[in-house]
Amino acid sequence: MLGPLLAALMCAACGGDDDASDPRDASTPGIDASDAPEIDADVREDAASPSDAGTPDGGGPMRETFVYVGLTSGDLVVYALDASSGALTERSRTRTGDFPSFLAPSPDGRFLYVVHEGAAELAALEVTPGTGAVRVIDRAATEGGGPTHVAVSPDGRFVAAANYGGGSVPIFPIEAGGMIGDRLDLERPGGQAHQVVFDAGGTHLYAVSKEDALVAQYAVSASGLAPLTPPSRAMRPGAGSRHLALSPDERFAYVIHELDSTITVHARAADATLGPELQRISTREEGASGGNTTAEILVHPSGRFLYGSNRGDDDVVRFRIGSDGLLALEGHESTRGRTPRSMTLTPDARLLIVANQDSRDVQVFAVDPTSGALTHRMGITADANAWYVGAFAIPTE
């Protein structure tokens, strides 16, 4: 079984130091490293077919959206999504490793890359067209403890991860057939590296350090990562900088801070460096009391709305984004559960889906395209702590 040191690291990783419960609580079975499947692990598939019609992607193959939920049991569960009702139907589940804490798709949707927080591992998953089911085809060590995040460059050339333990960022080339190549570089941006984000061109990468209160800035090339000048943008000490989202036009960056429940706005220069904060705004309702930490931040692809999740208040905060990039509070929507650790927008941005870690459920909300307001559609119960949720457009054939 996992040693005490690794178990402690996992409790701290990915905001677990501030979450209401340990991901390996008494009701969640521990995951032995030996539970990780071999390559080409068996996948249990149900016979049901997705009810929503596929959509073409830029003239390419038809695609449809599947929802992936990573559980602290080690299972990665695949759900078919009914786009009209928001209904989720379980299609398959695979024990990909020890345990899946974040996923990122290849641009063509045929491969997914997952970090396993308990095994300090990055794995490549091949996706079955039409069903969304996955099988493990490759694994690589992230060379750091408790990886919390993974990102694929928009051109599909690279995959990078954030190691919460040790504060390091490895980057790998993606080879033919979705395989993971030999590591190109291992940078150390700061303690408790929590997230990595590529820009739209795949030429720059940002790494958010929670412990050292900074966002590291790199140029990306075939030889690895090169720090920009300056190499990082300092954040307010003690704020607990966690995740970053870029505006669609990439003129602004938004950083959500876990420990003080704020979001800061930063201009992004032509050389891809981030400027000092233009605005700092609370994620909480006026008069909110009790403990709270933030988790995820999302910018709507229209560039008009921004969402953040509050753990403690257990809601999603919604802001309107002005032409100057600044935020104006619009409202809060209950997540209908406890500790919303992860959330995602569907590829068409019509739905926002939240994984409530401690109440072990996933909730679906419709997004109003004009106001960005959220309307609850439905929810499902998971059989372990819901640690991650992602919605990806997968080819139908």
Side-chain angles (χ1 to χ4, degrees):
M1 297 296 290
L2 289 173
L5 179 61
L6 181 54
L9 172 63
M10 290 179 58
C11 180
C14 219
D17 48 338
D18 302 302
D19 286 346
S21 69
D22 189 312
R24 297 171 185 274
D25 61 21
S27 59
T28 303
I31 308 166
D32 194 302
S34 64
D35 289 341
E38 299 298 324
I39 305 302
D40 296 344
D42 290 337
V43 178
R44 176 173 62 81
E45 292 189 37
D46 296 332
S49 60
S51 55
D52 60 324
T55 55
D57 180 47
M62 297 289 287
R63 298 196 190 195
E64 58 188 278
T65 298
F66 289 89
V67 174
Y68 294 79
V69 176
L71 302 178
T72 51
S73 63
D75 286 341
L76 180 62
V77 187
V78 182
Y79 294 91
L81 173 68
D82 186 311
S84 58
S85 68
L88 297 173
T89 303
E90 182 175 334
R91 293 293 308 280
S92 63
R93 61 173 60 204
T94 304
R95 180 68 62 92
T96 62
D98 185 8
F99 62 86
S101 58
F102 213 95
L103 279 77
S106 63
D108 62 8
R110 296 188 181 277
F111 303 96
L112 297 175
Y113 296 86
V114 57
V115 282
H116 291 130
E117 192 165 327
E121 174 188 78
L122 168 69
L125 311 177
E126 185 177 43
V127 183
T128 302
T131 73
V134 300
R135 67 184 185 97
V136 180
I137 58 171
D138 202 5
R139 301 182 189 273
T142 61
E143 302 182 45
T148 59
H149 199 267
V150 60
V152 173
S153 61
D155 57 13
R157 296 176 61 198
F158 306 107
V159 57
N163 286 314
Y164 191 90
S168 60
V169 171
I171 185 169
F172 304 83
I174 295 176
E175 298 184 340
M179 305 296 280
I180 303 167
D182 293 338
R183 178 175 59 78
L184 297 172
D185 198 357
L186 182 70
E187 294 290 322
R188 298 188 182 278
Q192 299 177 342
H194 217 303
Q195 186 201 32
V196 283
V197 178
F198 286 98
D199 65 3
T203 56
H204 297 92
L205 180 133
Y206 301 95
V208 184
S209 165
K210 177 180 165 183
E211 183 177 58
D212 289 348
L214 59 82
V215 176
Q217 314 173 133
Y218 300 100
V220 180
S221 71
S223 59
L225 302 173
L228 300 179
T229 304
S232 65
R233 167 54 58 189
M235 301 287 144
R236 187 164 76 175
S241 308
R242 182 181 174 98
H243 279 195
L244 173 152
L246 295 172
S247 60
D249 61 10
E250 301 198 317
R251 294 173 54 220
F252 300 97
Y254 302 90
V255 181
I256 194 164
H257 305 278
E258 179 177 334
L259 302 183
D260 70 358
S261 299
T262 64
I263 293 173
T264 54
V265 182
H266 304 264
R268 181 176 184 266
D271 63 1
T273 58
L274 304 185
E277 67 178 59
L278 301 174
Q279 181 188 25
R280 176 179 292 271
I281 190 168
S282 175
T283 64
R284 306 188 72 181
E285 282 194 275
E286 185 176 356
S289 61
N292 185 75
T293 60
T294 65
E296 189 60 274
I297 185 169
L298 303 171
V299 174
H300 191 275
S302 69
R304 294 184 293 169
F305 319 117
L306 180 146
Y307 304 95
S309 65
N310 283 309
R311 301 175 295 179
D313 295 346
D314 294 337
D315 61 32
V316 176
V317 60
R318 172 171 52 96
F319 297 95
R320 182 173 291 276
I321 302 175
S323 59
D324 56 2
L326 302 184
L327 302 177
L329 179 63
E330 290 285 299
H332 295 76
E333 180 69 30
S334 169
T335 65
R336 274 71 171 178
R338 302 194 316 277
T339 321
R341 185 189 177 280
S342 178
M343 63 182 184
T344 186
L345 286 164
T346 53
D348 61 9
R350 295 178 182 178
L351 299 172
L352 185 144
I353 306 174
V354 179
N356 286 309
Q357 173 189 320
D358 290 331
S359 52
R360 298 183 170 192
D361 58 78
V362 177
Q363 304 292 334
V364 181
F365 299 83
V367 178
D368 185 287
T370 302
S371 67
L374 303 177
T375 301
H376 186 246
R377 286 285 185 83
M378 61 84 68
I380 58 169
T381 301
D383 52 17
N385 296 82
W387 199 253
Y388 167 82
V389 63
F392 308 124
I394 303 302
T396 58
E397 58 181 27

